[in-house]
Amino acid sequence: MSLLPKDPSVNVCVQDTGVNKNASNPKAAGNGETAQDMDSNGNSNSMDCLVVRKDTFMEHAKRFIPVIKRIVRRPLLVFYMLFLTLELACIGVFATFIVKYFRIEFAISGKRAAFLNGAVLIPAAILGLNVSAFVCRQFRLTLKQCGMYVLANNILTVSLLVAATFVGCKNPPIAGVNNEYATSLDSMDCNFNCGCNSNIFRPVCGADDVSYLSPCNAGCQIKDLSNNTYSSTYSDCTCVQEPPTSTFDDYPEFGSAKSGLCDREDSCETNLYIAVFLLGCLAFCRFQDNAPISLILLGNTETETRTVTLGLTKFVQNIFGYFPTPIYFGEIVNSTCTLWQYTCGERGACWLYDIVKLRYALFGLNIALRMLQIPVCIGIILTVKEYLTKESPDEKSPSDYAQKDVDDNTTKQ
């Protein structure tokens, strides 16, 4: 048997002990208008009961829906949600794929790629957050000036993205994928009788500076068992053609190869540091939007609806900005794959990417999202000016709005 009342209300009774107010009026006491007990001194012990009703879920929802309608009808808040949705989509692209990009583009280990991300990009983002807050506070930017600050920062970010698009490495030559065999690409006579399995990916680097999918694809006949290092050495590789001037001085014989893909060109290591510097500047600029755009929202939202507005914007930007990004960008990354692993006819992991297309895909998508943010920023600036004209003829800094809230709360108290 449930002890909870069906009626969502609570009886709150307060005992009032004091002089009997109805002692001089026995008629009132006799009519039962106030339930009280008399003590020996003529005082009364009365119980004043108040009924406090708890709102049901539907009653909360009925009051919540008009607030949502009022929020979405304001152009500024619509522009604000669009801006944050695009912003979080940009962040989602880099947060999900930046380590993989470093590893594939510059042929570095996952450990080194994660270190560069944690040592350079994350501190740059934290510094950008603090610098933007300092600028807004120190120079007491008005809401319109905050919008101009976001717009200028957006344009600078697009410029850095364009510059980073052209900093990278070239695709390494891989026989049968993006480079012809030295003998015959069509018939592959050099390994025709080897019966190579196309589902095996164990790349080797030939003395001709060309990578092969496996020792079998390179036509290698002998594996050097005297080599105790982790890198295996192969000889009598019929598909490997010794160039006039080989960069591998440790290959004494014609047609030799060693395990692993060939090293990238010397400029690739230099381009890695340039790309890390540009991406660090990009992270610094990207996170400078946080403080001014938040001040714009708080300065143009009523105190009573700020909590609902913040919750709604966070919901929209995560649902439409952050969550779908790994899905559609993952498909874009898969489109740059040049060699897939197949097991029992089913596609597995990607063995080789076209690193040039991958770079264009990563930065091209970010440039497109950032370009969409520019008209949204302009809409925010125009909408902020309109609201300031309606609510106050003079432009005020965000600190003035905060001081007004403090004064209002003091007056109510």
Side-chain angles (χ1 to χ4, degrees):
M1 179 177 179
S2 177
L3 299 178
L4 297 177
K6 296 182 180 180
D7 186 16
S9 60
V10 177
N11 293 330
V12 179
C13 298
V14 180
Q15 184 175 6
D16 183 13
T17 304
V19 179
N20 183 13
K21 299 179 182 179
N22 293 327
S24 60
N25 191 0
K27 181 180 179 180
N31 292 335
E33 295 178 357
T34 303
Q36 55 185 356
D37 297 329
M38 305 291 185
D39 59 12
S40 59
N41 296 326
N43 296 332
S44 63
N45 297 325
S46 62
M47 299 292 291
D48 296 332
C49 295
L50 302 176
V51 178
V52 180
R53 181 177 177 80
K54 289 185 177 180
D55 293 336
T56 63
F57 174 79
M58 293 303 298
E59 289 173 339
H60 278 295
K62 289 179 181 178
R63 288 199 300 267
F64 185 73
I65 294 175
V67 176
I68 297 295
K69 290 181 178 179
R70 186 170 60 178
I71 291 173
V72 298
R73 286 175 182 173
R74 299 185 66 175
L76 172 66
L77 299 181
V78 175
F79 284 128
Y80 177 84
M81 287 187 285
L82 285 175
F83 180 86
L84 286 186
T85 300
L86 295 171
E87 182 75 16
L88 209 59
C90 295
I91 295 175
V93 170
F94 274 98
T96 308
F97 296 97
I98 190 62
V99 174
K100 183 175 183 178
Y101 167 75
F102 279 140
R103 183 173 57 82
I104 296 174
E105 180 72 24
F106 301 100
I108 62 177
S109 63
K111 180 179 179 181
R112 188 182 179 190
F115 172 78
L116 292 174
N117 180 52
V120 178
L121 302 188
I122 295 179
I126 296 174
L127 182 61
L129 286 171
N130 288 276
V131 168
S132 64
F134 173 79
V135 170
C136 294
R137 176 63 181 172
Q138 186 68 22
F139 297 99
R140 297 179 63 85
L141 299 181
T142 64
L143 298 180
K144 183 178 179 181
Q145 289 171 344
C146 287
M148 297 295 294
Y149 182 43
V150 173
L151 178 60
N153 182 66
N154 204 333
I155 295 174
L156 179 59
T157 302
V158 172
S159 302
L160 290 172
L161 285 170
V162 172
T165 305
F166 300 99
V167 178
C169 302
K170 297 179 181 179
N171 280 310
I174 300 176
V177 178
N178 56 19
N179 193 75
E180 294 185 357
Y181 278 86
T183 54
S184 173
L185 177 64
D186 295 330
S187 61
M188 291 181 285
D189 296 335
C190 59
N191 58 16
F192 181 75
N193 296 322
C194 295
C196 300
N197 188 349
S198 59
N199 293 324
I200 295 178
F201 181 69
R202 195 166 66 241
V204 295
C205 178
D208 53 358
D209 293 339
V210 176
S211 297
Y212 298 84
L213 299 180
S214 66
C216 180
N217 290 97
C220 299
Q221 307 294 324
I222 301 174
K223 180 180 180 180
D224 186 4
L225 300 178
S226 63
N227 191 357
N228 295 325
T229 62
Y230 291 104
S231 177
S232 301
T233 303
Y234 302 88
S235 59
D236 289 345
C237 301
T238 57
C239 296
V240 178
Q241 299 295 321
E242 191 78 19
T245 56
S246 175
T247 59
F248 295 95
D249 297 332
D250 54 340
Y251 290 156
E253 299 179 3
F254 173 79
S256 57
K258 67 176 182 179
S259 60
L261 293 171
C262 295
D263 296 333
R264 303 288 174 84
E265 65 274 14
D266 296 336
S267 60
C268 190
E269 184 72 14
T270 303
N271 290 339
L272 170 63
Y273 296 110
I274 297 175
V276 170
F277 173 76
L278 290 175
L279 291 176
C281 295
L282 181 65
F284 174 79
C285 294
R286 182 185 298 278
F287 282 88
Q288 286 202 58
D289 295 341
N290 190 31
I293 202 68
S294 298
L295 291 175
I296 290 174
L297 174 67
L298 296 177
N300 286 263
T301 307
E302 298 85 354
T303 307
E304 295 78 9
T305 60
R306 282 180 183 175
T307 304
V308 179
T309 303
L310 289 173
L312 180 63
T313 54
K314 288 295 182 181
F315 173 79
V316 171
Q317 71 184 51
N318 281 284
I319 292 297
F320 298 102
Y322 189 80
F323 292 154
T325 301
I327 299 175
Y328 65 77
F329 189 72
E331 291 298 323
I332 296 176
V333 170
N334 289 340
S335 66
T336 64
C337 182
T338 57
L339 185 63
W340 288 96
Q341 175 190 15
Y342 283 92
T343 304
C344 298
E346 300 230 351
R347 194 177 75 176
C350 179
W351 280 337
L352 290 173
Y353 288 93
D354 187 325
I355 61 176
V356 176
K357 291 182 179 180
L358 178 64
R359 185 171 69 249
Y360 288 160
L362 176 65
F363 293 104
L365 178 61
N366 273 268
I367 291 173
L369 293 173
R370 278 290 179 174
M371 292 295 291
L372 290 175
Q373 279 187 310
I374 292 179
V376 176
C377 287
I378 296 174
I380 290 176
I381 295 172
L382 297 177
T383 312
V384 167
K385 182 177 180 181
E386 176 185 352
Y387 274 93
L388 288 175
T389 303
K390 289 182 178 181
E391 297 176 4
S392 176
D394 299 323
E395 291 189 353
K396 297 181 180 181
S397 66
S399 59
D400 295 330
Y401 288 100
Q403 184 63 38
K404 181 178 180 299
D405 292 339
V406 173
D407 295 340
D408 293 341
N409 293 332
T410 304
T411 303
K412 291 179 180 179
Q413 294 175 357

